[in-house]
Amino acid sequence: MAQYYGIRPGSQPHTLSVLVENRPGVLARVTGLFARRSFNIDSLSVSSTERPDISRITVTAYADPDPLEQIIKQLNKLLHVLKIVELDPDQAVERELVLIKVKANERTRSDVLEIVKLFRVRVVDVHPETLTIEATGAQGKLDALMGLLAPFGVVELVRSGAVAVTRGPKALSEKVPGTEIGEFMNR
Amino acid sequence: MASPTPLQAFSSIPKETEPRNGENSVAPGEPMTGAQALIRSLEDLGVSVVFGLPGGQILPAFDAITPETKFRFVLTRQEQAAGQAAEGYALSTGRVGVCLVTSGPGATNMVTPIAEATMDSVPLVIITGQVAADAIGTDAFQESDIMGITYPIVKHSYLVTNAQDIPRVLTEAYYIAQSGRPGPVLIDLTKTAQTQSMQYSWPQKMILPGYKPTTKAHGHMLQDAAELLTTAQRPLLYAGGGAARAQASRQLTQLAQLINAPVVTTLAARGVIADGDEHTLGMPGMHGSVAANGAIQACDVLVAIGARFDDRVTGDLEHFAPHAKVVHIDIDPAEIGKNRRVDVPIVGDVAQVLDDLNEEIPQVRERVESADLAPWWRRIHDWQSAYPTSYESAPNGQIEPQWAVQEIARLAAPDSIWVTGVGQHQMWASQFIDFERPSSFISSCGLATMGYGLPAAIGSAVGAADTHPVWLIDGDGGFQVSSEELATARQEGLPLKIAILNNSAYGMIRQWQDLFYNGHHSQTDLGDGDEDSASETSATNSHAAAAKDNRTHAVPDFVKLAQAYDCVGLRASSKEETTAAIEQALAINDRPVLIDLRVWKDAKVWPMVPPGASNSEIIYQPGITPLADQSEQR
Ligand SMILES: Cc1ncc(C[n+]2csc(CCOP(=O)(O)OP(=O)(O)O)c2C)c(N)n1
């Protein structure tokens, strides 16, 4: 106990969904908590939800159970945090978007396109020397795709960070206490 | 007008320049400026004292303070002192401490008190000025991002750019500061919001959808705890600052009597149960008593009550209370299991939980047979009689600082409030004064800020001077960090009693140098006491040697320093002089009195658990380690 370094060898990946009030400064408070405990955030994605007054933060991180529990408890203390759940991978749909710019000349282009077809992903930009590929999917699929593209030479790569929802009819925001937070945004 | 949504409520810089829904024109209420609304809100909250210091960006707010204003304004000489005075006020009265300071340097000077208030769970509302809303982010004159700077150390914070939000933000801040686990709430108030006009109405509806502190315990947890306590053969109650904050003194005392359990009180909890109560074993941890640490290491059930297993209490966590099942009662769920694995977690207000637990115990007793605690108490009494609080005698009739503390306690009124700085004197105050009332010991516990003493004493005196005399016991080092506040104390006419245990050194650090750094007294000589201290310390470079040769007088002369502030200054270099000076000080009641007590420099704080060691390795006096075999023993 009292070991708050986020990552140690053998730590497991976790996905947290954090519902917060949609207002400036909230993300800084949330990420600051991770930083203070030297957690490395693996990926982070944030945007507003079906309710414009609520934002949803999806964080994936490698952590041991004790530090993770402490982080969740500390996050819960932030007044702008409305709800936190750790998503069970079996009960959730998780997706990520990547854009990959890969080397492709006359000789290799058809091989790359073959992989694109196989994975049902899309080419979004073509250049005599490169192809830019857009791919969406769960982490495993994207890892496999990137593994196959790597030998051609990846020029540039950007990932959106994971987003995730639980399976079934329920919305996380249904569990937000005192639901009349507000209808419109301060814009 | 419809009640504001949190998003309206949030006072960020509006992303559009036009007013929302022409809101300002529809709001009902009394027209005034934001600055006037701030002062009115404080009055309507029932705030009776505000501590602070003015400046450019908060001038409109200060301008709104008039002779008709219903609260007292205590003007300090430094913002850090305003924050610490507000803490002293909050701790001695149980109310929220409020500060009003300017932007930039005024705000950054509040960082230390904010961190202190978080560590010690002190309810504070800090209002800082901020540059105009449209200048934010431009590095304007005296701009600092105090919100950003303080994110990790506040309980909550607000940036207010709209005057109309002021009464609601004040209502929320005041509520957040004192409810749940108390803490500091910052309100960064732009000049724009201060000067805008608005419509004032009271009371205000709070909108805090993400804030729901739990106060009442879950039923079967109480039962589990009651059963554990009833059957425990070696129970121990470990009370921390949370018990003090929850004002759970009565409930704690009742629980101790009900199950006849011993109680240890952390530095932050001194006085929560009277030291005169036969169940009290004193302070645990690094400078705790042998009985308190012995009981911790040997207990079979440990009930942590508003305590957070701080490393100054636990020593080596792995070997802390090695045989104990732990019941942990705390209002903050994040404290439970943070440092020590817990068998029965109870989230709730300590006073409420203890009340419920005290009702549960008799019911459990009807079903379950209570354990016989006689052997446990015999063991505790053995420790108490073999290892009482004691101290080494000084050579040549010098004053032992521990004796001086006892002498002050002997002569002072029993209902005095005791405030300390940080260092050896702080530990001696905790060890050698018997605290019989809650809130009678005020100290910087978690952050341990040198310089805390005088401002905190001022705040305590402002809060409680009519009912309780206030004594400050400080070190010569710590006193110099905030000695300018003598001006505040004098201007406010506070009859503070100040005893400086002047060992001419940063005593606590010097003690560590003696114990762990081969006596190398690097930069701990203050030369403000005995004149020959300068030559005693080996000067390692010629610069220092020359500087020390030039010094023929103690700098500063604390008696003259007191006199410069129109306070009374006294000096004592022997025990007779000490007693006389204390008596003289007790007779003066129209201004602060400072006594410069020239104490023996080599006195040490014992017992001591060496840093990082287990509490079982406690050293009672050099060479005596009474609990050394504790970890194997049961
Ligand atoms: C602001 C700050 N700086 C440094 C320290 C480290 N420190 C702890 S105790 C101490 C010495 C205190 O000396 P003094 O006030 O004379 O008290 P004594 O220990 O001699 O009783 C120091 C420097 C601290 N606690 N706070």
Side-chain angles (χ1 to χ4, degrees):
Chain A
M1 287 240 148
Q3 280 284 316
Y4 293 128
Y5 317 105
I7 304 191
R8 273 180 290 170
S11 295
Q12 292 299 305
H14 297 273
T15 303
L16 296 182
S17 267
V18 186
L19 290 187
V20 298
E21 291 179 45
N22 181 3
R23 53 172 81 191
V26 175
L27 188 62
R29 290 184 208 250
V30 168
T31 51
L33 268 180
F34 282 85
R36 180 178 167 203
R37 287 168 177 76
S38 43
F39 264 83
N40 190 17
I41 293 176
D42 197 47
S43 90
L44 178 74
S45 61
V46 196
S47 83
S48 53
T49 61
E50 72 281 3
R51 287 182 48 179
D53 56 345
I54 295 180
S55 282
R56 180 157 172 154
I57 302 176
T58 308
V59 192
T60 61
Y62 286 80
D64 284 343
D66 283 343
L68 186 76
E69 183 189 327
Q70 179 61 205
I71 272 270
I72 292 173
K73 284 173 163 181
Q74 293 292 346
L75 284 173
N76 261 315
K77 284 169 67 171
L78 295 178
L79 270 80
H80 297 316
V81 169
L82 303 169
K83 184 80 199 168
I84 305 173
V85 291
E86 191 191 341
L87 295 182
D88 172 355
D90 297 336
Q91 296 300 319
V93 183
E94 190 168 322
R95 289 289 180 275
E96 190 174 6
L97 171 76
V98 291
L99 293 172
I100 312 165
K101 193 181 290 177
V102 66
K103 282 195 183 135
N105 52 29
E106 277 159 45
R107 196 167 48 78
T108 57
R109 187 169 299 123
S110 60
D111 293 350
V112 173
L113 287 172
E114 193 62 29
I115 294 170
V116 165
K117 222 165 100 188
L118 212 65
F119 275 81
R120 296 203 189 88
V121 295
R122 299 201 292 152
V123 173
V124 289
D125 183 56
V126 184
H127 184 272
E129 289 164 34
T130 56
L131 286 174
T132 301
I133 297 157
E134 173 199 312
T136 331
Q139 206 166 22
K141 170 181 164 181
L142 298 180
D143 286 347
L145 172 67
M146 287 185 288
L148 286 176
L149 291 175
F152 297 94
V154 174
V155 178
E156 203 173 358
L157 177 91
V158 57
R159 311 174 61 146
S160 65
V163 293
V165 285
T166 46
R167 295 180 187 277
K170 294 246 184 309
L172 191 54
S173 60
E174 285 170 21
K175 296 181 184 158
V176 168
T179 19
E180 32 99 26
I181 296 181
E183 276 79 43
F184 80 97
M185 306 185 39
N186 190 11
R187 289 208 176 119
Chain B
M1 186 192 104
S3 64
T5 68
L7 292 159
Q8 286 173 304
F10 177 65
S11 12
S12 69
I13 305 160
K15 300 204 171 70
E16 286 169 20
T17 42
E18 71 230 75
R20 314 177 222 134
N21 299 346
E23 177 192 297
N24 283 354
S25 54
V26 265
E30 197 180 322
M32 59 178 74
T33 66
Q36 288 165 332
L38 170 74
I39 303 306
R40 236 332 239 292
S41 303
L42 291 170
E43 290 175 339
D44 283 345
L45 284 166
V47 170
S48 53
V49 189
V50 175
F51 301 88
L53 203 164
Q57 305 301 346
I58 196 73
L59 259 178
F62 276 83
D63 189 51
I65 299 174
T66 66
E68 281 71 52
T69 299
K70 290 188 194 131
F71 54 78
R72 172 177 179 181
F73 196 92
V74 175
L75 175 67
T76 62
R77 299 302 183 266
Q78 217 264 37
E79 288 83 1
Q80 177 171 313
Q84 292 169 330
E87 289 179 80
Y89 173 84
L91 292 175
S92 68
T93 61
R95 308 188 60 191
V96 178
V98 180
C99 310
L100 182 63
V101 302
T102 192
S103 67
T108 54
N109 276 347
M110 290 300 306
V111 169
T112 299
I114 290 173
E116 284 164 357
T118 288
M119 291 288 259
D120 289 345
S121 307
V122 183
L124 284 193
V125 169
I126 303 103
I127 302 150
T128 51
Q130 183 55 278
V131 299
D134 55 8
I136 288 181
T138 65
D139 297 330
F141 179 65
Q142 292 196 328
E143 179 189 355
S144 70
D145 176 14
I146 196 63
M147 291 274 288
I149 292 169
T150 56
Y151 275 149
I153 50 171
V154 291
K155 181 168 178 188
H156 193 52
S157 50
Y158 293 89
L159 174 66
V160 182
T161 54
N162 191 333
Q164 195 60 48
D165 294 332
I166 288 174
R168 182 188 45 78
V169 166
L170 263 291
T171 305
E172 290 180 2
Y174 202 76
Y175 170 70
I176 294 165
Q178 63 183 330
S179 56
R181 179 179 184 166
V185 181
L186 174 81
I187 301 173
D188 200 21
L189 190 58
T190 57
K191 201 161 189 178
T192 314
Q194 295 174 60
T195 51
Q196 264 175 3
S197 40
M198 53 86 70
Q199 302 287 327
Y200 185 82
S201 64
W202 196 268
Q204 289 277 326
K205 187 179 166 210
M206 297 188 284
I207 306 149
L208 298 168
Y211 185 60
K212 298 239 163 17
T214 312
T215 54
K216 221 166 148 59
H218 191 267
H220 88 93
M221 289 298 171
L222 281 174
Q223 225 176 61
D224 292 356
E227 267 169 37
L228 258 186
L229 272 179
T230 309
T231 53
Q233 298 187 322
R234 299 182 307 278
L236 179 67
L237 309 181
Y238 151 40
R245 262 359 131 250
Q247 306 190 343
S249 176
R250 177 179 57 78
Q251 290 86 343
L252 177 69
T253 309
Q254 197 187 341
L255 175 62
Q257 283 163 357
L258 200 60
I259 56 171
N260 190 27
V263 188
V264 298
T265 50
T266 67
L267 191 64
R270 300 293 286 122
V272 160
I273 177 167
D275 277 329
D277 189 306
E278 56 189 3
H279 297 95
T280 312
L281 309 186
M283 184 170 73
M286 181 171 276
H287 293 300
S289 68
V290 171
N293 280 313
I296 283 186
Q297 295 309 88
C299 67
D300 63 350
V301 172
L302 181 74
V303 188
I305 301 167
R308 59 191 171 88
F309 297 85
D310 181 83
D311 53 272
R312 278 291 183 274
V313 169
T314 62
D316 177 15
L317 197 55
E318 294 289 309
H319 299 104
F320 173 79
H323 317 298
K325 285 215 150 82
V326 172
V327 179
H328 195 171
I329 306 170
D330 205 295
I331 192 142
D332 181 355
E335 284 305 331
I336 294 186
K338 185 182 82 176
N339 292 335
R340 164 77 185 230
R341 214 169 282 282
V342 172
D343 299 279
V344 184
I346 305 181
V347 178
D349 171 67
V350 166
Q352 172 80 58
V353 171
L354 289 185
D355 264 333
D356 296 345
L357 187 61
N358 288 342
E359 270 184 37
E360 190 73 29
I361 286 172
Q363 298 173 29
V364 169
R365 274 198 187 150
E366 287 174 14
R367 289 185 280 116
V368 185
E369 201 186 331
S370 318
D372 172 20
L373 299 188
W376 180 222
W377 275 108
R378 264 199 303 282
R379 219 162 137 192
I380 289 169
H381 290 145
D382 285 349
W383 282 318
Q384 284 178 318
S385 54
Y387 308 105
T389 28
S390 68
Y391 56 86
E392 215 183 329
S393 302
N396 323 322
Q398 294 180 63
I399 307 171
E400 296 95 0
Q402 301 94 329
W403 174 85
V405 169
Q406 276 180 320
E407 185 69 355
I408 297 169
R410 183 177 72 86
L411 295 169
D415 63 348
S416 298
I417 291 175
W418 301 91
V419 184
T420 77
V422 169
Q424 291 181 309
H425 64 278
Q426 177 190 32
M427 293 297 114
W428 288 322
S430 171
Q431 292 173 338
F432 289 91
I433 300 172
D434 284 337
F435 302 98
E436 304 298 339
R437 277 189 321 111
S439 310
S440 60
F441 179 68
I442 290 169
S443 199
S444 173
C445 302
L447 198 66
T449 311
M450 204 173 42
Y452 173 90
L454 181 55
I458 288 171
S460 307
V462 167
D466 299 342
T467 41
H468 301 285
V470 177
W471 271 92
L472 167 64
I473 296 185
D474 210 341
D476 50 322
F479 188 77
Q480 291 185 61
V481 175
S482 52
S483 60
E484 80 288 347
E485 299 303 325
L486 281 174
T488 307
R490 180 66 189 96
Q491 191 175 17
E492 293 292 321
L494 302 173
L496 274 185
K497 312 277 183 269
I498 302 166
I500 298 182
L501 301 189
N502 184 352
N503 51 14
S504 196
Y506 290 123
M508 185 58 100
I509 305 301
R510 192 173 185 271
Q511 169 165 346
W512 281 50
Q513 291 174 332
D514 277 329
L515 298 179
F516 311 116
Y517 294 88
N518 296 320
H520 176 206
H521 295 152
S522 178
Q523 313 307 327
T524 45
D525 169 33
L526 289 170
D528 57 7
D530 51 337
E531 264 83 83
D532 53 23
S533 75
S535 52
E536 186 241 316
T537 312
S538 61
T540 43
N541 60 54
S542 52
H543 256 326
K548 279 169 183 166
D549 282 346
N550 283 336
R551 199 167 62 201
T552 51
H553 294 292
V555 180
D557 179 329
F558 285 110
V559 172
K560 283 190 190 152
L561 183 73
Q563 287 163 354
Y565 286 102
D566 195 32
C567 302
V568 178
L570 306 170
R571 177 167 294 127
S573 305
S574 68
K575 291 191 179 174
E576 296 71 41
E577 287 174 12
T578 303
T579 307
I582 297 167
E583 279 165 351
Q584 207 178 330
L586 286 169
I588 298 166
N589 273 313
D590 63 341
R591 66 189 62 201
V593 187
L594 179 156
I595 313 175
D596 179 25
L597 287 166
R598 297 294 179 82
V599 300
W600 178 39
K601 192 172 192 156
D602 288 317
K604 300 237 169 0
V605 184
W606 298 113
M608 181 169 193
V609 178
S614 148
N615 284 344
S616 297
E617 292 167 56
I618 188 169
I619 304 167
Y620 174 64
Q621 293 280 321
I624 309 175
T625 52
L627 305 176
D629 56 351
Q630 188 74 56
S631 31
E632 294 90 61
Q633 205 181 316
R634 275 226 162 201

